[in-house]
């Protein structure tokens, strides 16, 4: 895969300490990007930064909650001091949640919305004034196959990922007069990361059982593969980036079947 687009570019990845974010960060470092790595987990963040530097790459690592506006403004300021600008922002930080409408409290909806939608909004607002000055600016937000369809049992997470999608499409529309900036929305299907094990859950939901089921039945794509599809799609400035046959199926069925997609999806899953 040719990631030449990123050579010399200042690329910010939130949630870079683990999973898909980590895989993207390492590849970006190898491709010659000036990486800015953000995560709430200090130790994991340090490991990724060290891996990039040991391979001869550049990394600025900052412990930050991507949903905290003031902290992300500081991260943007430090990025400018260190690298002189920002070209690409990949809003990857997010948190899975198990629980449907009935068992999820309002506080659950708030927390999941903040962890997924809030993280994309605060980080975008911190970096947008700088990215619009780039000759080849990119902003990519991680939604999910759950941002394409709603299947029940995960209403807060699904609502948050649909919100990421709406936010991304609105931002793309607002930037239509700026051909130097492309905005991508990324829809992964199941990816084999630790996301199922660090997920939040509504009271009474068996999170361990849900995580085991996720690993066994849902997670099909390797995180390195997901990282490559995202980085390629973002470099090409694609509006939508689908990852895995499951995401492609969700997208297709939602379009073809319209309001009747749920029955069709369940038929395919059972078959
Ligand atoms: N793994 C999947 O199957 C899958 C499917 C669809 C969408 N996604 C989305 O892809 C993104 C990455 O998922 P992943 O599977 O790599 O997850 P992961 O749990 O493996 O890694 C996420 C990383 O983000 C960090 N993080 C979480 N909240 C943060 C915050 N507020 N600020 C800074 N860092 C934060 C975590 O510490 C962790 O290092 C998420 O937005 C997720 O919702 C994942």
């Amino acid at each position: 895969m040719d990631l030449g687009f990123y050579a010399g570019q200042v690329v910010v990845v939130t949630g870079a300490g683990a999973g898909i974010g980590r895989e993207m960060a390492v590849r970006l470092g190898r491709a010659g990007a000036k990486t800015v790595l953000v995560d709430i987990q200090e130790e994991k963040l340090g490991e990724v930064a060290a891996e990039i530097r040991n391979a001869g790459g550049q990394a600025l690592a900052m412990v930050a909650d991507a949903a905290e506006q003031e902290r992300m403004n500081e991260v943007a300021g430090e990025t400018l001091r260190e690298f002189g600008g920002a070209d690409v922002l990949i809003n990857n930080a997010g948190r899975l949640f198990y629980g449907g409408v009935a068992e999820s409290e309002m506080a659950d909806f708030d927390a999941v919305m903040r962890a997924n939608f809030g993280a994309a909004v605060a980080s975008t607002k911190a970096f947008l004034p700088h990215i619009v000055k780039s000759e080849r600016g990119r902003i990519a937000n991680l939604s999910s196959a759950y941002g394409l369809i709603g299947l029940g049992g995960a209403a807060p997470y699904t609502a948050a990922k649909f919100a990421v999608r709406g936010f991304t499409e609105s931002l793309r529309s607002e930037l239509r007069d700026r051909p130097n900036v492309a905005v991508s929305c990324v829809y992964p299907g199941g990816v084999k990361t630790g996301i199922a094990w660090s997920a939040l859950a509504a009271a009474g939901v068996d999170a361990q059982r849900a995580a085991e089921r996720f690993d066994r039945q849902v997670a099909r794509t390797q995180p390195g593969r997901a990282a490559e599809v995202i980085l390629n799609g973002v470099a090409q400035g694609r509006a939508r980036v689908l990852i895995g046959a499951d995401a492609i199926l969700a997208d297709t069925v939602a379009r073809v079947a319209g309001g009747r997609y749920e029955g069709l999806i369940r038929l395919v899953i059972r078959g």
Side-chain angles (χ1 to χ4, degrees):
M1 188 189 44
D2 179 19
L3 293 180
F5 172 86
Y6 296 100
Q9 300 288 95
V10 179
V11 185
V12 185
V13 181
T14 67
I20 303 170
R22 180 182 185 128
E23 297 291 333
M24 288 193 285
V26 169
R27 282 163 177 74
L28 287 163
R30 247 186 260 142
K34 296 167 183 163
T35 65
V36 180
L37 313 178
V38 175
D39 206 290
I40 41 176
Q41 300 193 71
E42 186 168 9
E43 206 180 319
K44 290 192 169 183
L45 192 60
E47 286 170 15
V48 186
E51 188 177 339
I52 291 173
R53 291 186 196 120
N54 290 341
Q58 295 185 71
L60 170 67
M62 297 191 72
V63 176
D65 178 345
E68 258 184 41
Q69 187 65 73
E70 273 183 34
R71 181 67 184 129
M72 287 312 295
N73 291 346
E74 287 171 9
V75 170
E78 190 56 30
T79 301
L80 255 60
R81 272 189 293 282
E82 180 77 16
F83 292 136
D87 302 294
V88 180
L89 169 66
I90 303 181
N91 286 314
N92 166 78
R95 200 86 189 265
L96 185 59
F97 179 87
Y98 306 121
V101 177
E103 61 266 34
S104 302
E105 300 294 340
M106 197 57 211
D108 292 324
F109 278 88
D110 287 344
V112 181
M113 208 63 182
R114 186 175 195 280
N116 291 280
F117 173 62
V121 174
S123 304
T124 298
K125 287 188 70 64
F127 278 97
L128 186 59
H130 313 298
I131 289 180
V132 292
K133 293 182 191 149
S134 168
E135 278 175 28
R136 293 187 298 168
R138 297 283 187 272
I139 297 174
N141 296 330
L142 273 280
S143 176
S144 166
Y146 279 108
L148 297 165
I149 55 166
L151 285 184
Y157 184 71
T158 305
K161 290 304 192 184
F162 265 81
V164 169
R165 172 183 174 181
F167 172 71
T168 311
E169 294 190 4
S170 303
L171 180 67
R172 186 181 312 118
S173 173
E174 287 183 25
L175 294 176
R176 65 189 175 282
D177 295 333
R178 295 187 185 264
N180 57 317
V181 184
V183 179
S184 304
C185 197
V186 181
Y187 303 95
V191 182
K192 280 186 198 301
T193 67
I195 195 169
W197 297 95
S198 57
L200 303 163
V205 170
D206 186 342
Q208 160 118 10
R209 199 161 149 248
E212 284 167 2
R213 195 192 144 264
F214 180 92
D215 274 357
R216 216 176 36 246
Q217 294 177 2
V218 180
R220 296 183 196 280
T221 303
Q222 291 299 329
R225 173 70 189 147
E228 286 170 7
V229 175
I230 295 170
L231 293 177
N232 256 323
V234 171
Q236 289 166 22
R238 279 171 40 206
R240 309 167 85 240
V241 180
L242 297 164
I243 298 173
D246 43 0
I248 293 169
L249 173 73
D251 181 49
T252 309
V253 172
R255 285 162 191 270
V256 172
R260 295 186 314 279
Y261 71 73
E262 197 199 342
L264 208 59
I265 293 250
R266 294 211 181 275
L267 250 180
V268 175
I269 292 172
R270 248 183 265 130

